């Protein structure tokens, strides 16, 4: 079965073709990041308009790259939510219209389920059950995953998500948007000089809190005006140490408490090299295994949506409806999902 996947929940248009027998055949991404950088964040209306410009050429691109044509597609998976409603509407309406034209089923995918399953696109994927750390611009969650659609939330952020904390701290250091990659690059030149708190490190539960860290960074920034490049790098270094230490400690705690040995990490912050270094070392010490998506599939992409859709299609969860009506879910809790 050949599944076309469409992602348009925020500022990236992602398309992919996944074959349930042969795996990922092709994928393509257009990032709007340069367009939004001028404004310091995503402008929803501009995002929607740009998705409209990209979705058709990218569809043609993935079909050509896989040597396929429209009638070869068996089903279309698309991100129904959560995300920006206008942006979601572009991918959703395009998917339903194309499926109507081809008279094939659609699969409405939860964006976070896409992220969550992305590590399974790689070789030697872990078996269920496993612990998942989902760290993106909007989420910092620890989950127990027993199967497709069987997600138990173990811990969540009480305030800012990990990626949000990276972005806000990067802004305080004048690193531009998006901040995560820029901050982690700068941290490479930093040295241990400052000491920031490790929020909720010993709270006993699996929750996170990152907004206090940002305030501590602000205090450091105010104390060291005018900020020189060395001080900026040292602050970035310590901030990254603090966030990755807390994330690693809680992942190990979750594995221990659940009595599991497999961990997967997904979402944009999962691309962070320091986080991977710490998680690799900690899991190795405890004879556990950690899996990540390849770097380009940590952030938003069409492949994860095609894959999640294909998993649900295999389990017969496609919506083979006749009216092809649609809606988007800008707010959608992952725990509302059901097993196929
Ligand atoms: O998963 P994602 O592409 O979008 C959401 O669904 O939110 O994640 C984007 C987030 C941004 O906050 C970005 O700054 C962060 O992931 N990010 C990073 C890195 N690469 C992306 N944070 C830290 N280190 C990185 N290397
Ligand atoms: Zn995402």
């Amino acid at each position: 079965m050949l599944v076309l996947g469409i992602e348009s929940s925020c500022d990236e248009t992602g398309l992919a073709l996944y074959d349930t027998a042969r795996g990922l055949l092709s994928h393509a991404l257009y990032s709007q990041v340069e367009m939004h950088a001028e404004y310091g964040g995503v402008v929803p209306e501009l995002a929607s308009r740009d998705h409209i410009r990209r979705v058709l050429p990218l569809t043609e691109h993935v079909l050509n790259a896989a040597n396929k044509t429209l009638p070869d597609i068996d089903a279309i998976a698309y991100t129904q939510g959560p995300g920006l409603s206008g942006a979601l509407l572009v991918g959703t309406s395009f998917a339903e219209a194309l499926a109507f034209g081809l008279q094939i089923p659609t699969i409405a995918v939860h964006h976070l389920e896409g992220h969550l399953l992305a590590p399974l696109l790689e070789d030697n994927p872990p078996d269920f059950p496993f612990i998942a750390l989902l760290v993106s611009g909007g989420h910092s969650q620890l989950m127990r995953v027993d199967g497709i659609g069987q997600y138990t939330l173990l811990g969540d952020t009480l305030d800012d998500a990990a990626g949000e904390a990276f972005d806000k701290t990067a802004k305080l250091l004048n690193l531009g948007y998006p901040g995560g990659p820029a901050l982690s690059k700068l941290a490479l030149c930093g040295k241990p000089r400052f000491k920031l708190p490790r929020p909720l490190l010993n709270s006993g539960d699996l929750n996170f809190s990152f907004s206090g860290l940002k305030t501590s960074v602000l205090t450091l920034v105010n104390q060291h005006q005018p900020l020189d490049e060395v001080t900026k790098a040292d602050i970035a270094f310590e901030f990254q140490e603090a966030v990755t230490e807390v994330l690693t400690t809680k992942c190990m705690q979750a594995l221990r408490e659940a009595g599991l040995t497999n961990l997967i990490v997904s979402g944009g912050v999962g691309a962070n090299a320091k986080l991977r270094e710490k998680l690799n070392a900690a899991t190795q010490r405890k004879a556990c295994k950690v899996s990540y998506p390849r770097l380009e599939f940590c952030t938003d992409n069409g492949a994860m949506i095609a894959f999640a859709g294909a998993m649900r299609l295999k389990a017969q969860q496609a919506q083979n409806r006749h009216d092809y009506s649609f809606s988007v879910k800008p707010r959608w809790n992952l725990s509302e999902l059901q097993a196929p």
Side-chain angles (χ1 to χ4, degrees):
M1 298 275 253
L2 188 66
V3 181
L4 175 71
I6 304 173
E7 157 63 32
S8 74
S9 66
C10 190
D11 59 349
E12 262 131 5
T13 323
L15 271 292
L17 277 175
Y18 185 88
D19 187 318
T20 49
R22 293 170 55 207
L24 187 65
L25 300 187
S26 58
H27 63 97
L29 186 84
Y30 182 83
S31 173
Q32 306 172 353
V33 67
E34 275 179 28
M35 180 177 75
H36 298 295
E38 199 182 322
Y39 305 92
V42 179
V43 184
E45 181 59 26
L46 292 183
S48 316
R49 292 183 200 186
D50 204 60
H51 285 304
I52 294 173
R53 278 194 285 273
R54 311 292 167 191
V55 69
L56 196 52
L58 286 176
T59 303
E60 284 168 349
H61 179 89
V62 293
L63 283 168
N64 290 338
N67 220 358
K68 299 283 181 192
T69 56
L70 282 175
D72 294 324
I73 302 173
D74 295 302
I76 301 178
Y78 62 88
T79 305
Q80 191 186 23
L84 301 170
S85 55
L88 288 166
L89 268 171
V90 177
T92 299
S93 54
F94 175 76
E96 292 289 350
L98 185 58
F100 172 71
L102 297 171
Q103 287 296 297
I104 56 175
T106 57
I107 311 130
V109 173
H110 192 293
H111 180 78
L112 295 184
E113 180 170 66
H115 275 303
L116 199 63
L117 301 177
L120 308 187
L121 271 163
E122 307 303 333
D123 294 339
N124 302 316
D127 291 326
F128 298 113
F130 52 74
I131 296 293
L133 172 70
L134 187 63
V135 269
S136 68
H139 295 83
S140 296
Q141 298 185 330
L142 270 164
M143 262 166 290
R144 181 193 164 101
V145 180
D146 285 285
I148 307 290
Q150 293 173 261
Y151 312 124
T152 312
L153 187 65
L154 304 174
D156 205 344
T157 182
L158 304 180
D159 38 59
D160 291 354
E164 193 179 358
F166 266 93
D167 292 339
K168 287 180 176 172
T169 300
K171 214 168 198 169
L172 291 176
L173 299 175
N174 290 321
L175 299 180
Y177 161 89
L183 192 147
S184 61
K185 198 166 156 213
L186 182 64
L188 286 175
C189 324
K191 298 213 161 36
R193 167 175 160 205
F194 301 113
K195 194 71 196 161
L196 290 171
R198 297 331 190 223
L200 301 188
L201 186 68
N202 299 309
S203 61
D205 58 25
L206 293 168
N207 291 328
F208 304 102
S209 166
F210 293 116
S211 72
L213 261 182
K214 178 190 62 200
T215 314
S216 305
V217 168
L218 181 61
T219 308
L220 276 183
V221 167
N222 288 336
Q223 284 168 351
H224 293 83
Q225 288 298 329
L227 267 191
D228 59 70
E229 284 308 305
V230 172
T231 304
K232 268 165 86 167
D234 292 344
I235 295 175
F237 175 90
E238 175 60 13
F239 171 81
Q240 182 170 261
E241 282 298 315
V243 173
T244 54
E245 185 183 332
V246 173
L247 291 173
T248 304
T249 302
K250 299 261 171 167
C251 282
M252 297 315 292
Q253 185 186 338
L255 284 169
R256 197 170 58 241
E257 288 176 2
L260 297 176
T261 54
N262 274 317
L263 172 70
I264 65 137
V265 180
S266 56
V269 184
N272 186 275
K274 180 60 82 175
L275 178 64
R276 289 186 176 210
E277 184 189 310
K278 284 198 160 84
L279 285 172
N280 289 344
T283 47
Q284 214 167 17
R285 271 198 302 275
K286 297 286 176 195
C288 293
K289 186 182 157 210
V290 55
S291 313
Y292 314 91
R294 69 195 81 166
L295 287 181
E296 62 186 320
F297 293 165
C298 281
T299 42
D300 293 348
N301 63 86
M304 67 183 193
I305 302 304
F307 180 69
M311 292 299 103
R312 287 189 170 267
L313 184 70
K314 265 204 230 173
Q316 293 304 321
Q317 250 221 343
Q319 294 153 282
N320 211 348
R321 299 160 307 178
H322 297 288
D323 63 352
Y324 292 94
S325 62
F326 58 84
S327 63
V328 292
K329 296 181 178 174
R331 289 181 173 273
W332 189 6
N333 201 323
L334 192 64
S335 57
E336 290 167 29
L337 286 188
Q338 304 207 325

